[in-house]
Amino acid sequence: MGYVYLMAAMAACVAGSSLLTASNGMKKRFYAVSGVVVFVISYVLLSRAILTINISIAYAVFCGVGIVLSGLISAVVFKQKMTK
């Protein structure tokens, strides 16, 4: 069950990052508030995941997958270029 929580936490983290990007520097309140709420949900789910998964493994996977997915979404959805 820990890996289900971990996958949900990763999805929520990426969604929160995307919502904060869409908020245009916190100018669009709906996206800004939604992004913060989704980030809180993400970390609650991560805390549930580490009850059964070693924190070093869970956090490494959480961060790694989050970085890759956020990069892909920023390139595809927001048309941002990846730099060195």
Side-chain angles (χ1 to χ4, degrees), residues 7-78:
M7 287 187 295
M10 289 183 293
C13 184
V14 171
S17 296
S18 298
L19 285 166
L20 289 179
T21 301
S23 76
N24 194 22
M26 298 289 198
K27 292 177 186 166
K28 296 180 180 178
R29 296 264 188 234
F30 174 77
Y31 292 117
V33 172
S34 298
V36 171
V37 169
V38 172
F39 263 118
V40 170
I41 292 169
S42 172
Y43 282 98
V44 168
L45 291 167
L46 180 61
S47 72
R48 298 290 302 185
I50 62 173
L51 292 175
T52 57
I53 303 171
N54 187 325
I55 191 168
S56 61
I57 301 297
Y59 198 67
V61 171
F62 176 82
C63 292
V65 171
I67 290 168
V68 170
L69 289 178
S70 292
L72 291 172
I73 288 174
S74 70
V76 173
V77 174
F78 298 107

